[in-house]
Amino acid sequence: MEYNFRDIEKKWQTTWATEQTYHVEPNPGKPKFYVLNMFPYPSGAGLHVGHPLGYIASDIYARYKRSQGFNVLNPMGYDAYGLPAEQYAIQTGQHPAVTTEQNIARYREQLDKIGFCFDWQREVRTCDPKYYHWTQWAFARMFNSFYCNRCQQAKPIEHLVKRLSERGTEGLDVAQTEELHFTAEEWNAMTEAEQLQVLMNYRIAYLGETMVNWCPQLGTVLANDEVVDGVSERGGFPVVQKKMKQWCLRVSAYAQRLLDGLDTIDWTDSLKETQRNWIGRSEGTEMQFSVKDSDVKFTIFTTRADTIFGVTFMVLAPESELVAQLTTEAQKAEVEAYLEATKKRTERERIADRRVTGVFSGSYAINPFTGQEIPVWISDYVLAGYGTGAIMAVPAHDSRDYAFARHFNLPVIPLIEGADVSEESFDAKEGTVMNSPREGVTALDGFCLNGLSVKEAIAATKKFVTEHNLGRVKVNFRLRDAIFSRQRYWGEPFPVYYKEGQPHLIPEECLPLELPEVSKFLPTETGEPPLGNAARWAWDEQARCVVDNAAIDHTRVFPLELSTMPGFAGSSAYYLRYMDPQNDQALVSTEADAYWQQVDLYIGGSEHATGHLIYSRFWNKFLFDLGVSCKEEPFAKLVNQGMIQGRSNFVYRIKNTNTFVSLGLKDQYDVTPLHVDVNIVQNDLLDLEAFKAWRPEYASAEFILEDGKYVCGWAVEKMSKSMFNVVNPDMIVEKYGADTLRLYEMFLGPINQSKPWDSNGIDGCFRFLRKAWGLFYPKNAGWAVTDEAPTRENLKTLHKLIKKVTEDIEEFSYNTAVPAFMIAVGELAQQKCSSRAVLEPLVVLLAPFAPHICEELWHSLGHEGTVCDARWPEFDEQYLKEDSVTLSVSFNGKTRFTLDFAADASKQDIEAAALQSPQAQKYLEGKQVVKVIVVPGRIVNIVVK
RNA sequence: GCUCGAAUGGUGGAAUGGUAGACACGAAGGACUUAAAAUCCUUUGGCCAGAAAUGGCCGUGCGAGUUCGAGUCUCGCUUCGAGCACCA
């Protein structure tokens, strides 16, 4: 019987769907295993062969775990909010919900064809009100929480309110936007609106006036990770800095926990490193400087407190509030001109053009250690958002300060013995300190660092600064709070309305607050976000429902928030929702969460390292603090699948003709390489007829062939329509079947490695499946499996395979597991094995990789149910033992010949036999044996002189 | 600039410090066939010697080192990829 993959795959996909084979429920009697893929954004282009790579890898693992007796949760859903659908809506007027729905249907159809064991009953969509109910709910909880630094935990805002009313900010150690100081009396004297305003300083979800990345073309703000090289990640439009009132999430409060948590999870080092970079912990010192002839004092942050004696100027960020305070009358005009000029430069220009710019403020700071006067400058190389927005500049030991000092002719004082600072600064934190203080300079309390190493000097300075109350030791993080508003339509609405200028939450029981219909998806004439076009977008506080805008009276009916949430909102806790997707009382029930706990295996791309993977860790930690999630980290193990790149093909057209020349001959002509659709090229040979039919202008094409063939050139590029190198999984499935596609995607290379899609090798996987099928249904014969006892050889092949496949799956080394199957099937075919005792375990082993064919064979073997529930075979060491072993014999490390020994031969026996073997005599002639190394089972190395 | 990772035939890629190139593709030759497709068999890192069996030498980006023995470990480079980047 032929291997008819079309019938087989259709049959089992239908059966799995109708019988809900992969639906799971918590089962306390069984250990759980939670496998998760990063859910896709359903784009209009559909899936290409790169998308399923991770899904197949996790599907194999899920099926394997199920076979091992685990209750496996393997859900799938859609990250359905996003810019492309909205941009498309703006262009076509099509409602994003409609296009999203269509795209999802297409994705589902494509996914179904590949035979995944997803539990579709648990599907979630971020744009579904039943889903975003809980996104809004989490936001509301963040709004109503603050972060206590002392207990390192989020707490209800009422606790803070109570404390403020009792003791004010005295001794308060909480995460905050800026350090406020007031007494209990002052707090109690505030109006409600004033109190609410103050609380914004502490809330985990807060409305903050911050510099944001504003993208005029997209009409929205973007998060830092959505801006790449100064342009928007989506669309590549310019991004400018703009001060706006925005919802923010106080992610920075969790910086230390986000950093520490990395040590507890099984992620790749490179990904952890990326997150460590992004969090950017830096331990340093804050020091206070007073200003000459002024009451103003300001604080700077430095990691090199030891260089205090080398400070020759101070620098303020242009946006710093100190600029106004420190600019003298004489410098005012110049400073203002400079501020104006910097404002105009976009971030991109600043990155592209790093010329040194700056202006003198006119003021002088006083070095607290020496009393020396130091000029205060303003320059955009100092960032307002990091540290205190002010620095002490030590040109001798900081390259940026050095560049600035050289440009404006400021003095450079070297502080490290032997450091040559005539050409460049000496930035390394090493060497022996000198000039600290210089001769003739007296330092406060006789403080002296000379002769110490840099490390010692840093420690000594920190101690001194703390003791003399000149500042404090401080840890700074680069991680910024996440900007959480987007001026877009297609996103989760905020459950917020504005009363007396202050945001108020709509009550939790009124959630979800559904996204309203709008007349158009563009910003309003007055520049408000698209939700400003909604006619019915106001909150009636008494009726507790959404009403027409016309009803707004600011006493009972109030306007609702017009921004929506960003893309990462919906994807931050979806793994929790999968545990309990239908629950309308809670994001996830305590029971469901207690059973499924956390994701055991998460598979997805590393491009989310500083976006989704940070946000969802933050989000989950917050929910952990609330007691909603029982685990602090959401994803115990993470495997990054590599990107599948495109493999483009080229034809070479002779210039000004319609003649195409084959690759090998192209150098003889003046040619233009042109992309050609990879789907009409096979093994780099062009299908000439298909090419002529591909485009009208090629209908009359002529060819110069080599050996009667047209050979195309190729290159690895991004998979994209414009390169004509997109390979669609449905086409592969149509031609070879899903099982072949699955095997081939795994066979292509290590899962975590980026690699080009090359359809050339796919035949090998198809042939393998046909061969495997042939063991059960040989050609020109019926069913071949018998109850015959397996031979020792059969069992050896089988157990070798069990061992290899089990190990490979555990290590995600699928690309080596597939060849193991090929070898085993080859061996069994040669052995003419028909024994059920061997073939049945083979089916179970192969099932995770090629579920359809294995399901069919499993049923042919007379079983019910699904092959995934069959017990995973265990290997038995005894079958792997050999009667004899072949050892290679080498002389001075160079292998010369092999010898067979009994499996239990002793080292001495092996050594003696090797030395006495006739083959060895040739190499021993005239030589002296120095020593013999015997590694049992491996090698005999004879060292001769 | 800093951090992390990679480099092996024509191609994708295998190799607990122990016979480098598994397996697959491609290529060449052969069988079957009227023919083609499909299938099966053989060869396939390079160079040299030989009629052949076979034998020899060289080979894992480059240069050192450790070791009886290095693709694998250490150090120094080169190239490519990824992340961060005026973060004080």
Side-chain angles (χ1 to χ4, degrees):
Chain A
M1 194 159 88
E2 276 290 301
Y3 167 44
N4 188 337
F5 62 86
R6 282 194 191 91
D7 293 352
I8 291 171
E9 292 181 357
K10 198 169 167 201
K11 171 176 161 193
W12 291 110
Q13 282 168 11
T14 311
T15 309
W16 295 335
T18 52
E19 293 184 359
Q20 294 292 330
T21 307
Y22 303 115
H23 176 61
V24 286
E25 285 295 339
N27 177 351
K30 252 181 158 185
K32 67 95 192 186
F33 198 89
Y34 188 173
V35 177
L36 184 66
N37 294 286
M38 288 184 185
F39 62 170
Y41 173 78
S43 82
L47 293 172
H48 65 65
V49 288
H51 293 109
L53 183 74
Y55 307 156
I56 295 169
S58 58
D59 196 69
I60 290 170
Y61 206 82
R63 288 172 184 272
Y64 161 74
K65 276 290 178 185
R66 179 158 172 172
S67 233
Q68 287 207 322
F70 287 85
N71 194 23
V72 179
L73 175 57
N74 183 24
M76 183 46 94
Y78 305 97
D79 185 14
Y81 275 134
L83 276 181
E86 183 162 353
Q87 291 294 82
Y88 189 75
I90 290 168
Q91 284 158 24
T92 63
Q94 273 254 47
H95 197 286
V98 175
T99 46
T100 302
E101 185 70 37
Q102 288 167 354
N103 293 346
I104 286 177
R106 167 127 170 79
Y107 265 58
R108 177 63 190 273
E109 197 183 316
Q110 287 184 295
L111 289 170
D112 280 348
K113 283 188 188 161
I114 305 173
F116 294 116
C117 61
F118 295 133
D119 178 0
W120 284 109
Q121 281 186 37
R122 291 174 181 270
E123 179 193 311
V124 299
R125 299 174 184 193
T126 54
C127 65
D128 180 348
K130 290 206 269 310
Y131 178 88
Y132 66 66
H133 180 162
W134 303 104
T135 311
Q136 293 175 335
W137 172 85
F139 168 82
R141 285 298 167 103
M142 288 181 195
F143 180 84
N144 276 330
S145 301
F146 73 104
Y147 194 84
C148 171
N149 284 337
R150 226 167 258 134
C151 45
Q152 282 290 308
Q153 202 187 350
K155 299 268 185 178
I157 197 86
E158 296 82 54
H159 293 206
L160 181 69
V161 171
K162 184 158 176 279
R163 193 194 181 286
L164 292 176
S165 67
E166 287 166 359
R167 289 162 57 202
T169 56
E170 176 68 34
L172 189 68
D173 186 12
V174 298
Q176 52 193 324
T177 310
E178 57 179 321
E179 218 169 308
L180 301 179
H181 297 281
F182 51 83
T183 62
E185 291 71 44
E186 286 170 324
W187 167 262
N188 293 325
M190 290 179 201
T191 64
E192 199 195 328
E194 282 169 344
Q195 287 185 342
L196 286 175
Q197 193 142 14
V198 168
L199 285 178
M200 273 300 171
N201 196 50
Y202 304 103
R203 295 182 192 273
I204 288 181
Y206 64 95
L207 204 50
E209 179 112 22
T210 46
M211 291 301 272
V212 294
N213 305 303
W214 173 256
C215 180
Q217 268 87 343
L218 292 174
T220 187
V221 302
L222 296 169
N224 284 342
D225 65 283
E226 291 168 323
V227 182
V228 180
D229 293 333
V231 297
S232 66
E233 190 188 22
R234 286 211 182 270
F237 302 116
V239 172
V240 295
Q241 299 298 301
K242 191 174 165 183
K243 204 156 202 176
M244 281 179 77
K245 212 158 203 190
Q246 297 288 315
W247 285 104
C248 303
L249 301 185
R250 208 175 295 283
V251 179
S252 60
Y254 284 83
Q256 189 64 50
R257 280 169 68 188
L258 287 169
L259 189 64
D260 295 341
L262 290 173
D263 296 330
T264 69
I265 50 183
D266 183 8
W267 292 17
T268 61
D269 289 338
S270 77
L271 205 108
K272 287 186 186 183
E273 195 58 32
T274 302
Q275 291 212 340
R276 286 198 189 100
N277 263 335
W278 190 257
I279 296 167
R281 187 181 195 273
S282 145
E283 234 178 277
T285 316
E286 273 187 2
M287 278 193 260
Q288 279 196 2
F289 282 73
S290 47
V291 177
K292 186 188 167 194
D293 304 328
S294 159
D295 298 336
V296 177
K297 286 193 173 193
F298 67 97
T299 308
I300 58 95
F301 175 78
T302 179
T303 54
R304 293 294 303 272
D306 60 307
T307 59
I308 183 72
F309 293 102
V311 179
T312 56
F313 58 101
M314 313 291 291
V315 188
L316 306 177
E319 300 86 358
S320 169
E321 287 155 18
L322 291 163
V323 169
Q325 297 175 45
L326 295 187
T327 302
T328 58
E329 208 48 51
Q331 291 296 103
K332 201 167 182 181
E334 213 177 314
V335 169
E336 267 166 16
Y338 180 70
L339 296 186
E340 206 46 48
T342 11
K343 212 180 260 173
K344 275 198 196 123
R345 292 176 81 192
T346 64
E347 179 145 355
R348 192 180 198 187
E349 283 162 352
R350 273 169 66 163
I351 289 165
D353 168 27
R354 273 194 201 173
R355 66 208 146 105
V356 177
T357 62
V359 64
F360 178 48
S361 70
S363 291
Y364 291 86
I366 307 295
N367 186 324
F369 284 66
T370 65
Q372 285 170 322
E373 294 177 7
I374 317 163
V376 179
W377 287 69
I378 297 154
S379 172
D380 65 358
Y381 85 89
V382 172
L383 304 175
Y386 185 77
T388 62
I391 62 155
M392 63 179 212
V394 185
H397 302 292
D398 182 288
S399 53
R400 296 151 303 178
D401 298 346
Y402 189 87
F404 195 83
R406 281 285 179 252
H407 190 263
F408 290 105
N409 235 338
L410 295 158
V412 178
I413 304 171
L415 301 172
I416 305 290
E417 283 178 19
D420 175 15
V421 295
S422 56
E423 291 297 324
E424 55 181 359
S425 61
F426 180 83
D427 290 16
K429 285 188 191 177
E430 55 194 45
T432 306
V433 177
M434 61 171 192
N435 284 343
S436 300
R438 279 195 291 177
E439 269 183 61
V441 177
T442 22
L444 182 64
D445 260 6
F447 185 64
C448 176
L449 295 169
N450 291 330
L452 297 179
S453 74
V454 167
K455 270 199 182 131
E456 291 164 344
I458 294 176
T461 316
K462 275 184 182 169
K463 193 161 167 257
F464 187 87
V465 164
T466 317
E467 284 171 3
H468 289 74
N469 222 8
L470 300 171
R472 56 174 173 171
V473 173
K474 175 87 197 282
V475 175
N476 260 330
F477 292 94
R478 188 151 60 209
L479 184 71
R480 308 295 164 80
D481 288 346
I483 293 164
F484 201 61
S485 303
R486 296 291 180 275
Q487 288 65 40
R488 307 293 303 193
Y489 172 71
W490 192 228
E492 299 87 347
F494 284 87
V496 166
Y497 61 93
Y498 288 88
K499 181 177 171 183
E500 290 165 28
Q502 289 301 317
H504 289 255
L505 291 179
I506 69 168
E508 248 175 47
E509 20 343 325
C510 301
L511 298 178
L513 177 68
E514 294 201 24
L515 187 65
E517 291 305 320
V518 289
S519 51
K520 60 183 178 119
F521 303 108
L522 285 167
T524 64
E525 269 87 53
T526 52
E528 305 224 278
L531 286 190
N533 294 318
R536 193 180 172 78
W537 196 236
W539 186 252
D540 185 326
E541 214 173 42
Q542 272 165 39
R544 293 153 70 95
C545 64
V546 177
V547 295
D548 287 348
N549 293 2
I552 293 174
D553 57 11
H554 295 282
T555 56
R556 168 185 162 149
V557 178
F558 303 93
L560 281 155
E561 168 71 54
L562 298 181
S563 300
T564 54
M565 298 186 194
F568 67 82
S571 60
S572 284
Y574 73 114
Y575 51 89
L576 288 174
R577 191 61 185 163
Y578 280 137
M579 296 175 181
D580 198 4
Q582 258 69 270
N583 192 337
D584 56 7
Q585 299 303 307
L587 165 61
V588 52
S589 72
T590 319
E591 298 74 44
D593 183 63
Y595 182 74
W596 298 113
Q597 306 240 338
Q598 69 187 140
V599 176
D600 296 289
L601 173 65
Y602 195 29
I603 296 197
S606 56
E607 67 272 19
H608 297 107
T610 56
H612 162 62
L613 287 173
I614 287 262
Y615 297 128
S616 61
R617 288 183 64 221
F618 153 77
W619 203 284
N620 192 72
K621 280 175 196 295
F622 173 74
L623 294 174
F624 172 79
D625 288 353
L626 251 55
V628 172
S629 172
C630 65
K631 289 279 186 180
E632 181 157 4
E633 286 292 338
F635 315 118
K637 182 177 173 69
L638 180 106
V639 171
N640 290 123
Q641 96 266 25
M643 283 242 287
I644 297 276
Q645 296 145 307
R647 189 182 186 277
S648 315
N649 277 112
F650 296 94
V651 291
Y652 301 94
R653 184 172 65 192
I654 300 174
K655 277 190 181 151
N656 306 320
T657 68
N658 208 13
T659 303
F660 295 83
V661 58
S662 183
L663 177 69
L665 306 170
K666 76 174 167 66
D667 293 341
Q668 300 167 22
Y669 303 87
D670 187 12
V671 295
T672 318
L674 297 168
H675 278 95
V676 61
D677 188 347
V678 292
N679 295 301
I680 57 169
V681 177
Q682 221 183 359
N683 292 333
D684 290 335
L685 299 181
L686 183 67
D687 181 333
L688 300 182
E689 290 313 310
F691 180 72
K692 286 182 177 180
W694 182 42
R695 296 242 158 142
E697 65 262 39
Y698 299 146
S700 61
E702 306 209 6
F703 303 94
I704 301 175
L705 308 176
E706 26 182 347
D707 304 332
K709 294 165 187 159
Y710 190 97
V711 183
C712 298
W714 62 275
V716 173
E717 298 173 304
K718 197 177 168 241
M719 198 173 268
S720 97
K721 270 185 184 169
S722 62
M723 315 265 197
F724 301 108
N725 60 7
V726 176
V727 183
N728 187 297
D730 324 58
M731 285 167 46
I732 306 279
V733 168
E734 180 55 33
K735 194 163 171 202
Y736 299 97
D739 287 336
T740 299
L741 173 75
R742 293 169 60 109
L743 272 173
Y744 185 59
E745 291 227 8
M746 294 301 102
F747 179 72
L748 210 53
I751 186 76
N752 53 1
Q753 194 177 305
S754 286
K755 55 230 163 200
W757 176 264
D758 179 354
S759 300
N760 287 351
I762 199 158
D763 291 298
C765 288
F766 184 64
R767 276 179 209 143
F768 157 72
L769 281 180
R770 213 159 41 191
K771 253 183 232 169
W773 179 260
L775 287 175
F776 299 80
Y777 290 106
K779 223 177 181 180
N780 311 321
W783 179 243
V785 179
T786 64
D787 286 327
E788 221 169 277
T791 65
R792 195 177 159 71
E793 223 187 350
N794 296 158
L795 289 168
K796 192 176 153 188
T797 299
L798 174 67
H799 286 269
K800 220 165 55 184
L801 182 69
I802 298 172
K803 185 165 191 265
K804 175 79 176 146
V805 170
T806 309
E807 285 170 2
D808 282 352
I809 294 180
E810 290 287 355
E811 291 161 22
F812 302 95
S813 182
Y814 300 126
N815 60 318
T816 54
V818 176
F821 280 113
M822 294 177 175
I823 294 167
V825 165
E827 281 176 12
L828 291 175
Q830 193 144 44
Q831 294 161 15
K832 301 207 181 341
C833 174
S834 64
S835 169
R836 168 182 280 268
V838 172
L839 297 180
E840 201 167 284
L842 174 72
V843 170
V844 179
L845 290 174
L846 184 60
F849 295 84
H852 308 88
I853 185 175
C854 290
E855 196 80 283
E856 176 69 22
L857 292 171
W858 184 246
H859 285 256
S860 296
L861 284 161
H863 295 281
E864 298 282 311
T866 173
V867 65
C868 283
D869 284 330
R871 256 196 54 182
W872 191 256
E874 281 182 28
F875 84 93
D876 190 332
E877 199 73 54
Q878 66 161 315
Y879 298 112
L880 301 181
K881 282 196 191 126
E882 309 265 356
D883 298 335
S884 69
V885 284
T886 304
L887 294 193
S888 27
V889 180
S890 37
F891 289 83
N892 293 343
K894 194 152 266 193
T895 302
R896 295 301 174 179
F897 56 89
T898 59
L899 280 181
D900 290 341
F901 295 91
D904 54 356
S906 71
K907 277 191 177 190
Q908 286 78 8
D909 293 345
I910 293 172
E911 183 179 329
L915 286 171
Q916 280 153 28
S917 65
Q919 300 98 309
Q921 299 318 311
K922 182 176 154 193
Y923 300 99
L924 291 170
E925 209 175 305
K927 300 269 174 62
Q928 206 184 343
V929 176
V930 179
K931 64 170 159 176
V932 182
I933 292 113
V934 178
V935 184
R938 297 248 170 229
I939 202 161
V940 184
N941 190 20
I942 300 164
V943 185
V944 292
K945 209 162 58 180

